[in-house]
Amino acid sequence: MTGLSRSSADLDPRRRRILYRCWHRGIREMDLVFGQFAENEIASLSEAELDALETVMAEEDQDLNSWITGAEPLPEHMRTEMFARIAAYRPDFDIVTKASLAEKYGQGE
């Protein structure tokens, strides 16, 4: 998927803004996770769920990527229903760790 395929014409301004932000995260991996989630879910999310989504979106992309891929343990404050729903949209990422990089490139840690 290369980006937004859902029309935002039927969305209120808040949902349009969130949908755009989900597809323009900063790193492509998070664009794919958040963008796909938003395309499928944004129209049906309650106001409380939108608040929860924005809370998750406030985290740094590198942290989110590490948590979603499992490269780093998920901190307690992110163990929420919303985070789990978003993480379920993750593409099939290979977890990148120091050990996996060393194995791939034949370098010591």
Side-chain angles (χ1 to χ4, degrees), residues 24-83:
H24 298 87
R25 294 287 311 162
I27 62 173
R28 189 65 182 148
E29 292 84 357
M30 292 300 91
D31 291 351
L32 293 171
V33 172
F34 280 86
Q36 290 175 26
F37 173 80
E39 283 209 18
N40 291 320
E41 305 287 336
I42 197 77
S44 64
L45 294 177
S46 69
E47 291 298 315
E49 290 170 324
L50 291 173
D51 292 342
L53 173 56
E54 288 184 312
T55 298
V56 174
M57 291 173 64
E59 296 290 331
E60 293 291 326
D61 277 349
Q62 294 296 346
D63 292 335
L64 289 166
N65 189 44
S66 294
W67 300 329
I68 288 172
T69 62
E72 295 289 332
L74 186 62
E76 187 65 36
H77 76 280
M78 295 287 10
R79 293 180 187 177
T80 64
E81 180 182 335
M82 181 55 67
F83 183 86

Side-chain angles (χ1 to χ4, degrees), residues 3-22:
L4 184 64
S5 61
R6 181 199 196 288
S7 171
S8 62
D10 63 330
L11 299 175
D12 62 74
R14 181 182 187 194
R15 291 171 200 276
R16 260 187 253 139
R17 184 181 70 249
I18 292 171
L19 179 61
Y20 179 86
R21 287 176 50 215
C22 282

